[in-house]
Amino acid sequence: MIELKTPGELDAMAAAGRVVARTLAALRDHARHGMRLRELNELAAGLIREAGAKPTFLGYHPRFAPTPYPAVICASRNDAVVHGIPGRERLGLGDLLSIDLAVHLDGWCADSAISFVVGGNGDAAKVDLALIDATERALQAGIDAARPGRRLGDVGAAISAVARGAGFGMLAGHGGHGIGRAMHEAPHVPNEGCPGHGLLLRPGLTFAIEPMLIAGGVDDYRHDPDGWTLRTADGSRAAHAEHTIGIAEDGPRVLTAP
Ligand code: MF3
Ligand code: CO
């Protein structure tokens, strides 16, 4: 079942989304060469607590996972695409880091992710910047397509046109999702699709759009022994960007904006 949200409920989700956006921005500012991923996790935990919100990932146990998720953020570095567990490992200059975060506030959930290069763009490889740029453009294209009267296939087609057009791969079998009171709700939001096909987009529909791009141009991945981290099969780097959006009468509304 898909629950359509009222404009007031979109406002409530946007309040959760602001906590996510501010926390992600703070993590990006603080991420430094030599820092442990675990320290970023602790920073996020504190900011979320201060905002009166709850970290949604911590203890989350979907069917595909062997264990409850043990952290507040996902921190996926270099060839890790998504669901990397922040541990003792230290960030290196020029690492490509993706951070994913969802929180609950007043019963509503918001979910977002960013990717950036540690040390800033001056320390980045050109291909990493191109990968991040294409990932962000794919996300924006998906958002722009999410208008009342259009269909879910239009969103996937817009995302893949950017990603494939730039020559990058997209993580096989993964995409976005409906979101609201729970992080994962219907519908599944594929990163590819047929224009004009799929679910009709109506005001009040809320979902997360999340392109996951792979530099090597292939879509395959493998799991780490931890059962969570997904890595590119070819060892090339990956980038992830995500926003939670709501369909308003006049078009898409980004609910995870600062
Ligand atoms: N944004 C990711 C997703 O929608 C976050 C899930 S991570 C988990 O799949 F740890 F919570 F599982
Ligand atoms: Co998500």
Side-chain angles (χ1 to χ4, degrees):
M1 219 213 51
I2 294 171
E3 188 195 0
L4 297 176
K5 282 79 173 179
T6 64
E9 289 172 337
L10 292 188
D11 290 342
M13 287 182 68
R18 274 192 294 277
V19 176
V20 172
R22 288 184 191 142
T23 305
L24 287 176
L27 295 178
R28 183 190 189 125
D29 281 354
H30 277 79
R32 292 271 181 288
H33 164 225
M35 194 179 225
R36 296 188 199 275
L37 290 176
R38 190 184 270 177
E39 296 172 54
L40 288 177
N41 188 70
E42 292 318 305
L43 177 62
L47 292 171
I48 294 163
R49 199 182 317 114
E50 282 167 28
K54 286 218 172 66
T56 304
F57 293 176
L58 186 65
Y60 186 67
H61 196 174
R63 269 183 298 276
F64 65 77
T67 53
Y69 191 71
V72 164
I73 60 170
C74 294
S76 307
R77 190 162 61 124
N78 298 337
D79 64 324
V81 191
V82 288
H83 301 171
I85 299 172
R88 293 177 47 77
E89 64 273 36
R90 293 183 189 275
L91 285 172
L93 208 54
D95 277 356
L96 197 173
L97 183 62
S98 301
I99 302 180
D100 192 346
L101 171 68
V103 308
H104 270 84
L105 181 70
D106 295 331
W108 295 99
C109 187
D111 185 9
S112 181
I114 57 171
S115 292
F116 58 91
V117 174
V118 176
N121 292 354
D123 288 299
K126 277 217 173 63
V127 58
D128 290 347
L129 293 180
L131 181 68
I132 292 168
D133 178 65
T135 305
E136 291 173 350
R137 285 187 293 112
L139 172 57
Q140 190 58 51
I143 294 170
D144 291 343
R147 311 191 65 83
R150 299 191 69 185
R151 292 184 179 271
L152 213 47
D154 295 314
V155 174
I159 294 168
S160 65
V162 173
R164 303 290 187 200
F168 295 124
M170 285 199 300
L171 186 68
H174 287 73
H177 48 92
I179 180 168
R181 296 178 195 278
M183 174 167 62
H184 290 144
E185 299 184 348
H188 178 60
V189 180
N191 286 332
E192 296 191 272
C194 288
H197 286 72
L199 182 75
L200 180 65
L201 303 181
R202 299 163 59 190
L205 195 60
T206 49
F207 52 89
I209 301 179
E210 46 180 321
M212 292 156 264
L213 271 59
I214 296 176
V218 297
D219 299 354
D220 320 311
Y221 64 91
R222 56 190 173 77
H223 274 100
D224 265 12
D226 66 23
W228 276 101
T229 313
L230 301 187
R231 288 187 195 277
T232 61
D234 64 359
S236 70
R237 290 184 171 196
H240 178 208
E242 175 175 18
H243 273 306
T244 295
I245 68 154
I247 311 275
E249 298 282 349
D250 59 349
R253 175 173 174 196
V254 176
L255 301 175
T256 40

